[in-house]
Amino acid sequence: MTPSAASALVEKTPLETYVPPAKPSLIGLSRAQLCDRLGEIGVAPPQRKMRAQQLWHWLYVRGARDFSEMTNVSKEMRATLAEHLTVDRPEVVAEQISADGTRKWLLRLPSGGDGQKAHEVECVYIPETDRGTLCVSSQVGCTLNCSFCHTGTQRLVRNLTAGEIVGQVMVARDRLGDWIDRETPNGNRLITNIVMMGMGEPLYNFDAVRDALLIVSDNEGIGISRRRITLSTSGVVPNIKRTGDEIGVMLAISLHAVRDELRDELVPLNRKYPLKELLQACRDYPGASNARRITFEYVMLKGVNDSLDDARRLVQLLKGIPAKINLIPFNPWPGSKYECSDWDQIEKFSEYIFNAGYSSPVRTPRGRDILAACGQLKSETEKLSVRERNALRAMAMTD
Ligand code: SAH
Ligand code: SF4
């Protein structure tokens, strides 16, 4: 691999050749659902719990890709399982590796019955010196149309299932060879952290995201601690408390503006859940403390939201909330109407916030050469007409 060039390892196969799976996969089922599935294929009730436990271990500790690997399960049982079920993950159709080591996978999923053959979604791995972060998608596309985000220009096609969300973690571990214990600078895993910051608004797909994250954080399985999982939302207020209560992961808020007028434009969901309500939900977030701060993401848009007055107002707004601020240099994409703030303006902004007592790291753009950086993900080039886009937006705002 030449370190200076991005490369595609898996050739992208044409969409027409996609064959949807004939049998359901076990990936993404809770333990109770796993027991039910075993019941359906004739496993007697007294055995179900023990079998489910065995399968759980093979799937989520060992990363088994085939029932034949499950050597402590009887041959007959393995044959019955294989007759009805699979342990398949989403199909990897392309893998790109950035010059900086970031990897992006394009995954293909069944369409969900809308007449299309298949859908595609992206997932990104970002290695750093002290951690390895996997950025996971929750939807194909997004209904919310934030004006600076590439994903928002894509038609929302559908929510991902819990299996497709867990499947992204499985694929990443497969491709990185991250199942077996190994010595890395960060302990024994390459993927140490998960961020729900890929395509889609996770809190508009709450149940599947919750079920998936409970599997990913289960310490008898994949075992990534909830403190190392961060869910980013553009501000779906009613589901913020549920995130704390039912999932218990770290919260990130895509703030991006400190006045409703501007936020209405950048993050249109603000018209439904304005700043005051959003910040109150943050104050009430279950489990937030100085040790477990809420991250406020703030994209730096030149001449739009990057003045020192904005910084001042930001500090005022966050008073009383255990917060850290993450400044994100705007990542341009084809056709975007914004520019990234100048570097010295970002530094001044960051310094102001730092002097006010907040940690204010600037997120280093990663994987820009393969369009893997924040807000650049987009799995299909199709653009919506203004009318279609408004219709989708109205749908999202009224539910
Ligand atoms: N839908 C969720 C999570 C996915 S976006 C959300 O909006 O929070 C992950 C982060 O990337 C968000 O903070 C989002 O606002 C930011 N982002 C989107 N487009 C961007 C761009 N072009 N440049 C930099 N950050 C961007
Ligand atoms: Fe959707 Fe998040 Fe992009 Fe907004 S920033 S369009 S909520 S993915």
Side-chain angles (χ1 to χ4, degrees), residues 148-149 197-198 200-201 232-234 254 256 297 299 330-331 374-375:
F148 53 88
C149 174
M197 294 186 187
E201 169 48 59
S232 173
T233 179
S234 56
S254 292
H256 308 318
E297 297 159 284
V299 64
F330 170 64
N331 289 307
C374 297

Side-chain angles (χ1 to χ4, degrees), residues 142 144-146 148-149 151-152 198-201 234:
C142 184
L144 290 178
N145 296 307
C146 298
F148 53 88
C149 174
T151 309
M199 294 165 64
E201 169 48 59
S234 56

Side-chain angles (χ1 to χ4, degrees), residues 78-98:
R78 279 186 264 156
T80 312
L81 285 165
E83 198 185 321
H84 301 280
L85 300 158
T86 72
V87 293
D88 290 349
R89 302 79 158 111
E91 182 191 350
V92 182
V93 282
E95 173 176 274
Q96 285 176 283
I97 305 180
S98 156

Side-chain angles (χ1 to χ4, degrees), residues 122 150 153-154 199 376-383:
E122 292 178 325
H150 202 196
T153 66
Q154 184 182 332
M199 294 165 64
Q376 292 183 313
L377 302 186
K378 185 177 188 221
S379 59
E380 56 180 26
T381 44
E382 174 186 17
K383 242 194 153 149

